[in-house]
Every structure is written in C-alpha cells, then in structure tokens.
C-alpha cells in the first residue's frame, strides 16, 4: 500500500503538470473540448486517489475544483480569462495540498479557503444544474453498501433463530438484463447465500420455437427465502438490475408461506437447494443461444478455452512506455561506460601494434567505435527527460511574483520538449526559479514605466531550451529595462568588489552581478532576495558542469544564458600528467592555461608561491606536492599552470607537469570502489586500462594552507 | 482455476490498487490504460469480468462499454463501472451503454470483490 501511495504522488505530479499546461492552453484561448476534458481528468484522477488514501482536506478541495471544471466541460460556465486565472491559482493551491498530503503537513488554510470561495462563487454564478436533484433521486434508490457477515449466514442455518424472516420474491427479468451480462442464476446464487431458499421457475411464457426471440426473456421466478438479513439487504442483491426487471419483495407470514410451499410442491419435486436450482434452468435456457453464458456454471468448457488466453498475465497489448528501476538504468550506463573504455583500450593496443590503417582489423575497430558511440548515446537517452516539468513549474513562479509585485507578466516557453539527463533536470529547478524571480522582480518594469517607455503594458519573459553542440542551452530572456550599469558599478565599488577607478567593459560590468556578495536590491526583498544572489545561481550551474552568461541591452531587456552538459555521467576533462601519473581536471573549472615565467612567480616563504596574472596575484599550487606524488615542489617555470576557479569563485593556479589533451571521460565513483581521497572527486579509466583520478578542484583550492599563514607574517614578506 | 479480470483505468494509482486488491483475492489481472487500449487487449484476452473507469483519454468508459457489447465474443462478459459516489447520472449512462453493475469509488477491497462475485459465475 505504501508503494501505491508513492505511485499516487508520482501520478499527482504528472497530473498537476497536465492540469497546468491544459489551463495555460485554455488561457491562450484554446477552447478545444479535449483540452477541457484533459484538465477535468487530471483533477478527477487526483480526487480518486486522494479519496482512497483518505486525504480529506485534499478531497474536499478537489471536489469543488472538479465541479467547476465539470460546468465548463458541459458548457454551463464560460472559460473567460478571469475564470482561467482563478483555475490556475486553484491548480497552485491543489499542488500545495498535494505536497501537504505527501509531507504530512498542512497547506495554508487561508489560501485554500480564498480559492475555494472563488470557485464556489463561480459555481453560484453558473445556472444551477439539475444534476443535484437527479442525484438525490438516484441516490435514494441506492443502497448503503453493507458487508455481508459470514456469521449471519451460519446463523441462518439455525431455523430457531428468532430474527429470521420469510420473504417471497417475484422476479421477472427483461431482455435488457441479459444484454448487460447480468444473469438470473448469479442473482439466485447470491440470494442463496443469504439464507434458506426455494426457487420456482415459471416457464409458461416460453413461446413456440418458431416464435422464440433468442435474445428475449421469457422466464420468471418466485423465490422463497428465509433469512435473518433485512429486506434492504435482500433488495441489494438486485441493485445492478433494478431497471431491467420486475421485482417484488414481500414478507410472508408462516401460514401464507406454508400454503405457497404446498402449491409449489405439487408440480415439482421437493424444495431444491440453490446449487441444484441451476440444473433445470440450464436445460431450459440452453435453448436460447445468446444466453449461453448462462449455461457456463459447469465451468469446464469455456474456462478451458480461457486458460490459454490468460496464461500471459499483465498488459496484453501495446504499451508506449515501461517503468524501470533507476538502478537498472544506472547499471546499464555503467556497463556501457566499461564498453567505451574497453573499446578505447582495444584501439590503443591496435595502434601500438602498428597495423596498417587499411587493415581489416583497424576498419572493423572503427566500426566498433561508431557502434559503441551509438550505444552510449542511446543509453544516455534512456535517462533523458524533457525539461517541460521544470519549465512548467516556472509559470507558477511567474504568477506568484507578478501578483506580489503588481506587475503583468506573460511567460512564453520554447523548446520544452528538449531532453536532458534526469539528474540535470532535477537540479535545474532552483537556479531557474531564482532567475525567473529576478527577471520579474528586477528586470521587468512596472506597467506605468513600460507604457512611458512605449512598450506593451504586459511584460514578457521567454524561457527557452535548445540543444547546441552536444550541450543544452537554456535561456531566460525578459523585455525589461536591462541592467542599470551605472548602478551595478556603483554598488560593486561601494562593496569593495572592484576598485573605484577600474576600467570595465559593459560585459564585465554585467557580469559583476555574479560576484558573491553582490545584490542590486537596496534592501533584500522577500521575493528575489532571500539572502541569495546570482553567485549562488552561478555556483549551482557550475556544479552541474555548466556555464552561465548574461547579455543586456538598456531599455530592451536582459538574457541569461546557461550552457549545460546533457548528462552528469560523462565529463569534459583536461588530461594532464603530474609526477608520472595521469590526472583529469574538469574543463568547466579551467579559465585558462599558462606557461609560468620566472619573473611572474613570487615566493612567499615556506614554499608558498603566487603567480602574477593580470595585475593580481593568484596562489600557485603544485598538484604533485598536494597529492604527495613528490616531496618537494618543483620549479614552476618547468611546468604548466592551469588557472582554475572553484565553485565559490576563488581562483588559483594549479601546477602540472604537462597537458596531454582534452577528452570526454566516463565518471566512476571512487567512494564506491575504493574510498574517499582528499582532493580527488572521482576516477575514470583511460584507453590503456589505467585508472586516472579526476581532480576535485574545489577541495584543492579550499584546502587549509599552513604555508599561507606563514606567508602573511611581515618577516616573510619581502 | 482463477478468474481473469480486465481493469481499464488511466490512473496508475487506481490500476495498482485494483491489481493489489484483485490479486490478493486470487484473481488474475490484465490491465489497460483507456478504452482504446482496453478494446485492443480484448482482441487477445478473454476476461471473466471487466472493471472500467469512466473518465479516460482517447475513449471513455461509455464508449468502451458500447465497444465491448458490440463485440461478438465479449458481449456477454460482465462489466463493472468504477464511479464516484455522486455520479448518479453517469451510473445511469453507463447502464444504458450496457454496464452490468458498478463499484463506488473510493472502493474498498471487500466491496470490490463482493461486486465481482455478484456478477461473475
């Protein structure tokens, strides 16, 4: 049951996305019935599950929501912009309630009530449907579902039980009863479970064979039932067929019953037990071919035929998707990683063997390489998901921030079907939410300012995704005022982030907003502020192996552009040699590579060194010494330095012996296979089969530096 | 010999709940995701009872029931409809389409099995 609850919440997520996208389509003027139906179904589905799990608060709200949608569906309520707006907000509240149900908390009762009232108001404004009246009348015919206790059946065997009652039922089915696959036999059997029963069949209405309608109903029954259950429970047996039969239920006093019994005994043999009743009926009815199934209780022939058909359990037919345990996919990805590595090893061996390029082995190997790459792409595609769910969530963010700031903003989405690895999708939400909040709060101007600037009153925000050279590029573009460079510069100076006299290009100024500690809002607003700046966004993107950039045109708006890898299982790396070992440095961390010149390297004492680059000093770290590949740091000028930036924005230069080249590597966890090593993020396997470690740039940059403390002492500084 | 039930419901939650309740009661279960899929499944399977939802994409429960009743091979198979409590009108429409009986949502396993037993041999 817990697993099903899990499924329910997963499905809720999907339904909420479906709901919102349907409502957004409706907002755009799509009044297609299928759209409205899809929206209705989404809400209806959530209600079904919520009811089953007893989430009463949720059920209550969904019910009102559903009723409103039903009115729209039946064209009793028009989906005006005002109405869809309310529905969209209702979908937000619904999402909150679902989350509350999942996490065991409770949603903001005030917000729920506001929307519920609005929905109720919509219901009130629509012409009252006569549904309600109909409901009452139908329901009054309905019976309270009651579990039949087995005890009561056993009690019935006791003829002396004081509470037993005798009923005489007269039952005459119409042809419609059989057409709906109901069967008198089953009804009689059910009745038989309630007590002691005698059945009498009236065959007097059976016509001559020539006049017989094979689909007609000619039999009627008189049933004497002695039972301790109520008349209501007796009637309940006929619940499904009450429209398709004539039924009378009378309580009989003993004298009348005996009399009736006496009569019934005359034409036939003694009272028959329910099971035996089947026999005579069978022979009579088997004359009518379409009612064959009536003759089925013998259970051998049709059942045998079914046996083969039902052998293959589970879904019988086409299924567009399957759900697979993520572990299995991960294992497959791992194996393909091994395959890629193995293939690379093989290539290297073959090239070492000095075979001719035209030899069949080399040609075959090329084909293998192509195949391997295709397999790798296909396997990665299994984990790929469209960015749509994340994008969809942003429309809510826009609505919220817009209403908080009193701005009119329209979100336009582009390329939502663009696919990217599941892990990347999951980690996109936070940075995107932050950027969207920023764009609405800071980017887009208030309506009056927009009108004054000759722009449409409603601001526009475009969220787009596309594939570009093996990466996914996501853009957040607003048509607001653009970055106020004078102000950004002034803030950066006042916060000591740049010197007052610094000469910066427009681009450089724009990029200042990514600096830690930078915030354009004079006071931290509770919308975009939340104590986080764009530096956090930048770090989140970098953690995903991505880059972020900004371009802005004053008066026309700003565009944030993120370039992200399609998967986190493969890494773009710089392969370097350090102390005879091969290491991989993540490419996203590297700003540039340089050849240290003697005059730019300065000793701070105790072995600590800095390198002068572009008028600043950057700590110089000998990777070989940090990883204990060698005892003594070696001469900087004989080496190559990689200028790297950690996620926190700290820069430093890493000294390595040589650069071998740039390549994509398959990431293998070192923790799983070996253990945690400080300064190392993961491992990969190279073409020659050797393990190469992937450097953890952040750990190296942030490592405690005892030597630097020494360096700060006045005596050491020369 | 265990009976086979075909469940037709677009909600995965509901499908899983039906699967759990029915298999615990000893039935074999075949699933379909909507009316169209249900009719496809019926090309190959011969269930003893069908349990179907009403609100579904592509083809709803009414269309599905009519489709089953038109099918020579399955016209006599009992069909139970899953309805929400207040759906008097829907119940009526389902009945006119040829439904055998109904199960009120949210169902409890006892009632479900009880309803199936009531219509199945």
């Amino acid at each position: 049951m817990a697993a099903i609850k899990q499924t329910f919440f997963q499905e809720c997520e999907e339904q909420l996305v479906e709901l919102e996208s349907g409502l957004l389509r409706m907002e755009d003027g799509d009044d297609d019935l299928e759209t409205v139906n899809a929206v209705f179904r989404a809400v209806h589905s959530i209600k079904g599950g919520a009811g089953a799990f007893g989430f009463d608060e949720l059920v209550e709200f969904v019910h009102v929501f559903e009723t409103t949608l039903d009115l729209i569906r039946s064209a009793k309520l028009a989906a005006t912009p005002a109405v869809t707006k309310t529905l969209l907000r209702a979908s937000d509240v619904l999402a909150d309630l679902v989350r509350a149900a999942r996490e065991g908390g409770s949603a903001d009762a005030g917000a729920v009530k506001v929307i519920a009232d609005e929905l109720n108001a919509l219901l009130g404004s629509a012409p009252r449907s006569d549904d309600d009246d109909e409901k009452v009348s139908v329901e009054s015919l309905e019976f309270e579902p009651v579990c039949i206790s087995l005890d009561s059946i056993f009690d019935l065997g006791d003829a002396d039980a004081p509470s037993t009652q005798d009923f005489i039922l007269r039952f005459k089915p119409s042809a419609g009863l059989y057409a709906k696959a109901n069967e008198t036999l089953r009804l009689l059997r059910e009745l038989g479970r309630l007590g002691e029963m005698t059945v009498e069949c009236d065959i007097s209405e059976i016509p001559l064979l020539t006049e017989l309608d094979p689909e007609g109903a000619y039999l009627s029954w008189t049933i004497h039932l002695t039972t301790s259950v109520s008349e209501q429970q007796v009637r309940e047996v006929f619940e499904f067929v009450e429209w398709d039969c004539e039924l009378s239920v009378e309580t009989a006093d003993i004298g009348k019953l005996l009399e009736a019994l006496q009569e019934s005994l005359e034409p036939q043999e003694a009272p028959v037990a329910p099971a035996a009743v089947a026999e005579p009926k069978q022979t009579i009815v088997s004359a009518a071919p379409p009612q064959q199934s009536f003759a089925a209780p013998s259970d051998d022939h049709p059942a045998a035929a079914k046996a083969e058909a039902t052998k293959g359990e589970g879904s019988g037919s086409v299924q567009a998707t399957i759900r697979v345990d993520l572990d299995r996919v991960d294992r497959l990805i791992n194996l393909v990683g091994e395959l890629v590595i193995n293939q690379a090893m093989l290539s290297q061996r073959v090239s070492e063997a000095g075979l001719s390029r035209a030899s069949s082995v080399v040609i075959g190997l090329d084909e293998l390489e192509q195949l391997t790459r295709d397999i790798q792409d296909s396997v990665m595609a299994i984990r790929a998901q469209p960015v749509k769910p994340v994008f969809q969530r942003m429309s809510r963010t826009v609505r919220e921030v817009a209403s908080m700031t009193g701005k009119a903003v329209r979100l336009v989405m582009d390329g939502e079907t663009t696919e990217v690895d599941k892990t990347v999708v999951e980690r996109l939400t936070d940075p995107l939410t932050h950027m969207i909040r920023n764009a609405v709060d800071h980017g887009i101007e208030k309506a009056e300012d927009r009108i004054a600037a000759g722009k449409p009153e409603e601001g526009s925000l475009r969220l787009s995704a596309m594939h570009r050279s093996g990466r996914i590029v996501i853009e957040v573009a607003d048509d607001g005022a653009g970055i106020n460079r004078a102000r950004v510069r002034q803030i950066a100076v006042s916060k000591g982030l740049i010197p007052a006299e610094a000469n910066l290009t427009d681009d450089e100024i724009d990029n200042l907003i990514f600096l830690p500690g930078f915030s354009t809002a004079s006071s931290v607003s509770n919308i975009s502020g939340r104590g986080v700046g764009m530096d956090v966004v930048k770090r989140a993107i970098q953690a995903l192996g991505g880059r972020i950039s900004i371009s802005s045109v004053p008066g026309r708006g700003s565009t944030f552009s993120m370039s992200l890898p399609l998967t986190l299982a493969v890494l773009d790396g710089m392969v370097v040699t350090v102390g005879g070992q091969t290491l991989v440095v993540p490419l996203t961390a590297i700003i540039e590579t340089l050849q240290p010149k003697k005059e730019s390297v300065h000793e701070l004492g105790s072995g600590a060194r800095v390198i002068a680059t572009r008028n600043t000093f950057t700590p110089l770290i000998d990777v070989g010494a940090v990883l204990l590949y060698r005892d003594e740091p070696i001469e900087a000028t004989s080496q190559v330095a990689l200028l790297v930036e950690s996620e926190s924005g700290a820069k430093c230069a890493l000294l390595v012996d040589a650069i071998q080249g740039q390549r994509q590597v398959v990431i293998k966890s070192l923790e799983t296979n070996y253990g945690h090593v400080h300064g190392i993020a993961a491992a990969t396997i190279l073409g020659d089969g050797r393990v190469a470690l992937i450097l953890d740039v952040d750990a190296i940059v942030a490592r405690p530096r005892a030597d630097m403390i020494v360096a700060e002492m006045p005596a050491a500084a020369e | 010999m265990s009976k086979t039930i075909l469940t037709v419901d677009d909600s995965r939650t509901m499908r899983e709940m039906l699967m759990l309740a029915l298999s615990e009661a000893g039935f074999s279960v075949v699933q379909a995701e909507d009316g169209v899929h249900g009719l496809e499944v019926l090309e190959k399977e011969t269930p003893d009872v069908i349990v179907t939802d009403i609100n579904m994409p592509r083809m709803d429960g009414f269309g599905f029931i009519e489709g089953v009743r038109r099918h020579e091979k399955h016209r006599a198979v009992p069909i139970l409809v899953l309805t929400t409590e207040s759906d008097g009108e829907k119940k009526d429409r389902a009945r006119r389409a040829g439904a055998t009986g109904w199960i009120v949502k949210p169902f409890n396993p006892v009632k479900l099995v009880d309803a199936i037993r009531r219509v199945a041999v």
Side-chain angles (χ1 to χ4, degrees):
Chain A
M1 216 46 191
I4 297 182
K5 208 181 240 185
Q6 199 60 38
T7 309
F8 167 64
F9 284 121
Q10 271 175 16
E11 201 175 3
C12 275
E13 288 301 320
E14 290 160 23
Q15 302 290 5
L16 286 169
V17 168
E18 196 58 46
L19 169 64
E20 190 170 31
S21 67
L23 287 174
L24 288 172
R25 282 202 298 280
M26 282 167 65
E27 195 185 26
D28 284 341
D30 174 2
D31 56 356
D32 189 48
L33 190 63
E34 195 34 54
T35 304
V36 182
N37 273 333
V39 164
F40 177 84
R41 269 199 310 273
V43 174
H44 185 74
S45 251
I46 294 177
K47 180 175 153 182
F53 292 110
F55 296 125
D56 297 337
E57 203 187 356
L58 186 55
V59 173
E60 206 177 304
F61 182 77
V62 183
H63 184 71
V64 182
F65 199 171
E66 186 192 28
T67 315
T68 314
L69 290 170
D70 203 23
L71 284 184
I72 295 174
R73 198 168 62 143
S74 51
K76 287 174 187 151
L77 178 68
T80 60
V83 170
T84 47
K85 219 165 204 127
T86 303
L87 296 177
L88 273 164
R89 281 170 47 225
S91 78
D92 294 344
V93 166
L94 182 56
D96 289 342
L97 283 166
V98 168
R99 193 179 328 115
R102 185 205 307 248
E103 288 161 11
S106 62
D108 178 358
V112 175
K113 191 173 179 322
V114 168
I115 299 293
D117 287 348
E118 275 184 46
L119 291 175
N120 274 319
L122 288 179
L123 290 179
S125 68
R128 236 183 96 76
S129 74
D130 45 5
D131 271 6
D132 293 325
D133 302 334
E134 201 175 316
K135 244 178 255 167
V136 173
S137 65
V138 175
E139 260 163 57
S140 60
L141 293 172
E142 228 173 80
F143 302 109
E144 273 293 296
V146 178
C147 291
I148 299 163
S149 149
L150 286 172
D151 296 344
S152 63
I153 292 177
F154 291 125
D155 284 349
L156 289 171
D158 184 359
D160 297 330
S163 58
T164 55
Q165 249 185 310
D166 295 307
F167 293 101
I168 298 176
L169 292 88
R170 293 198 170 77
F171 176 59
K172 183 174 181 352
S174 67
L177 183 143
Y178 299 112
K180 295 184 183 71
N182 274 301
E183 293 293 351
T184 307
L185 177 64
R186 294 184 199 126
L187 297 167
L188 293 177
R189 187 193 56 198
E190 287 303 305
L191 270 183
R193 286 172 197 264
L194 299 180
E196 222 164 278
M197 178 173 78
T198 59
V199 183
E200 184 194 330
C201 180
D202 179 1
I203 55 170
S204 62
E205 284 183 40
I206 298 182
L208 290 173
L209 199 56
T210 48
E211 288 160 25
L212 187 122
D213 173 4
E215 306 210 353
Y218 304 105
L219 303 174
S220 56
W221 284 266
T222 304
I223 305 136
H224 295 158
L225 177 68
T226 309
T227 174
S228 64
V229 305
S230 67
E231 180 180 334
Q232 198 190 31
Q233 277 166 281
V234 172
R235 281 184 182 272
E236 194 187 334
V237 170
F238 297 90
E239 182 188 3
F240 294 163
V241 298
E242 55 194 339
W243 285 269
D244 296 311
C245 67
E246 289 166 26
L247 175 72
S248 69
V249 181
E250 293 165 19
T251 43
D253 57 60
I254 296 296
K256 211 172 155 194
L257 177 71
L258 278 175
E259 202 180 349
L261 266 176
Q262 209 63 48
E263 279 172 30
S264 71
L265 280 175
E266 277 160 26
Q268 278 186 18
E269 281 290 82
V272 230
V277 170
E279 290 322 317
K281 295 294 148 333
Q282 203 175 331
T283 45
I284 295 163
V285 188
S286 56
Q291 295 174 9
Q292 290 171 339
S293 64
F294 201 32
S298 52
D299 220 334
D300 40 54
H301 181 67
K306 274 166 207 162
E308 267 183 86
T310 53
K311 247 178 211 159
E313 209 187 305
S315 263
S317 185
V318 266
Q319 214 153 20
T321 55
I322 54 163
R323 288 199 301 145
V324 184
D325 200 332
L326 205 57
D327 285 349
R328 293 193 196 175
V329 178
D330 284 346
R331 186 171 144 70
L332 186 60
I333 288 178
N334 255 322
L335 285 172
V336 172
E338 302 280 350
L339 181 67
V340 171
I341 289 159
N342 239 289
Q343 189 275 326
M345 275 164 66
L346 208 54
S347 298
Q348 193 159 339
R349 296 282 150 77
V350 167
S351 87
E352 277 164 12
L355 289 175
S356 142
R357 284 202 154 271
S359 76
S360 56
V361 173
V362 174
I363 292 169
L365 206 61
D366 283 347
E367 279 162 13
L368 178 66
E369 189 178 344
Q370 185 58 46
L371 259 173
T372 315
R373 200 167 298 154
D374 287 351
I375 292 177
Q376 192 179 12
D377 287 348
S378 316
V379 169
M380 291 302 176
I382 296 180
R383 282 178 60 104
Q385 281 189 338
V387 291
K388 189 173 176 178
V390 180
F391 273 27
Q392 203 94 68
R393 221 173 293 176
M394 295 309 132
S395 62
R396 171 174 190 172
T397 307
V398 170
R399 279 199 297 281
E400 280 175 354
V401 183
S403 85
M404 262 189 258
T405 53
K407 292 173 184 174
V409 182
R410 177 165 203 78
L411 179 69
V412 184
M413 288 186 272
D414 222 359
E416 311 101 287
T417 52
T418 311
E419 290 187 334
V420 65
D421 195 274
K422 187 174 159 45
T423 47
V424 178
V425 174
E426 279 163 3
R427 287 161 70 179
L428 269 178
T429 312
D430 284 351
L432 265 186
T433 307
H434 194 83
M435 275 188 277
I436 294 276
R437 280 199 176 119
N438 255 330
V440 178
D441 193 16
H442 302 315
I444 290 171
E445 319 91 317
K446 286 210 178 333
E448 56 266 30
D449 297 339
R450 291 185 62 89
I451 295 167
K455 292 199 251 190
E457 191 180 336
E458 190 180 51
S460 140
L461 195 58
R462 198 173 57 85
L463 183 57
S464 63
M466 71 203 105
H467 280 145
R468 196 184 283 160
S469 51
R471 290 173 76 85
I472 182 171
V473 176
I474 296 178
E475 283 188 354
V476 178
D478 65 62
D479 70 343
I483 289 181
N484 184 342
R485 298 202 171 106
R487 181 123 181 284
V488 167
R489 196 194 153 90
Q490 179 202 334
I491 291 171
V493 171
S494 73
K495 298 206 169 184
L497 297 171
I498 51 165
E501 69 283 0
N503 187 13
L504 299 178
T505 63
D506 287 351
D507 247 17
E508 282 170 326
I509 296 176
D510 290 348
N511 279 291
L512 287 176
I513 64 167
F514 290 118
L515 287 179
F518 185 91
S519 172
T520 40
S522 37
S523 63
V524 175
S525 81
N526 70 356
I527 300 159
S528 61
R530 304 205 174 184
V532 234
M534 285 302 290
D535 59 314
V536 178
V537 173
K538 185 178 183 181
R539 251 182 282 153
I541 299 296
Q542 279 178 338
L544 278 170
R547 294 181 294 270
I548 182 167
S549 62
I550 179 174
S551 70
S552 176
V553 181
R556 300 271 295 280
S558 318
T559 301
F560 287 88
S561 174
M562 285 164 284
S563 158
L564 295 155
L566 293 178
T567 169
L568 298 183
V570 175
L571 171 97
D572 277 315
M574 184 81 87
V575 182
V576 299
T577 323
V578 177
Q581 302 290 323
T582 305
L583 291 177
V584 179
V585 184
L587 213 56
T588 47
I590 300 174
I591 302 168
E592 61 176 305
T593 59
L594 32 101
Q595 189 80 52
K597 296 205 170 58
K598 202 171 169 58
E599 60 274 19
S600 60
V601 177
H602 302 271
E603 290 264 346
L604 297 182
S606 180
R609 288 175 288 184
V610 291
I611 184 167
T613 54
R614 298 167 196 243
N615 308 327
T616 60
F617 290 99
T618 311
L620 196 58
I621 298 171
D622 181 353
V623 177
V626 172
L627 296 179
L628 306 177
Y629 289 163
R630 54 182 160 243
D631 300 334
E632 286 293 313
I634 55 169
E635 190 58 39
T637 47
S638 66
Q639 296 188 304
V640 184
L642 307 174
L643 191 61
V644 295
E645 184 183 38
S646 76
E647 276 180 29
S648 61
K651 290 193 181 75
C652 96
L654 301 181
L655 273 182
V656 300
D657 299 358
I659 291 175
Q660 288 183 11
Q662 191 181 317
R663 59 179 291 194
Q664 271 201 340
V665 297
V666 179
I667 300 175
K668 298 265 167 201
S669 164
L670 201 60
E671 268 86 356
T672 320
N673 301 309
Y674 178 70
H676 181 75
V677 179
H678 183 76
I680 300 298
T684 189
I685 301 171
L686 297 173
D688 57 7
R690 280 187 303 147
V691 173
L693 300 176
I694 300 171
L695 212 60
D696 183 349
V697 171
D698 287 354
I700 300 271
V701 173
R703 101 207 136 89
R705 265 174 263 155
D707 47 354
M708 290 306 287
I709 298 165
V710 177
E712 278 162 20
M713 289 160 80
E718 288 189 42
Chain B
M1 143 100 236
S2 84
K3 302 259 178 277
T4 301
I5 318 284
L6 167 65
T7 64
V8 187
D9 201 309
D10 60 323
S11 157
R12 210 160 62 219
T13 312
M14 209 46 79
R15 281 203 303 274
E16 284 188 22
M17 292 180 76
L18 286 168
M19 170 72 89
L20 182 73
L22 293 173
S23 50
E24 271 181 4
F27 295 108
S28 306
V29 181
V30 181
Q31 297 182 325
E33 294 174 8
D34 57 38
V36 174
H37 188 197
L39 291 178
E40 281 167 9
V41 170
L42 283 176
E43 295 296 323
K44 293 186 196 148
E45 301 277 344
T46 311
D48 297 276
V49 178
I50 296 172
V51 177
T52 180
D53 187 23
I54 290 295
N55 282 297
M56 294 182 289
R58 298 209 292 171
M59 181 192 283
D60 65 12
F62 305 124
F64 172 68
I65 296 169
E66 283 163 6
V68 176
R69 289 287 174 250
R70 270 198 298 270
H71 204 296
E72 197 51 48
K73 190 167 133 209
H74 300 296
R75 51 187 292 203
V77 62
I79 305 175
L80 291 173
V81 174
L82 279 170
T83 67
T84 45
E85 292 119 309
S86 54
D87 269 348
E89 188 208 346
K90 296 239 178 59
K91 203 181 282 181
D92 212 34
R93 231 185 110 190
R95 223 174 30 76
R96 284 198 301 271
T100 310
W102 50 85
I103 301 162
V104 172
K105 257 199 236 183
F107 66 88
N108 79 40
V110 177
K111 265 160 60 187
L112 171 72
V113 174
D114 197 47
I116 287 176
R117 203 202 56 221
R118 220 194 281 175
V119 296
V121 177

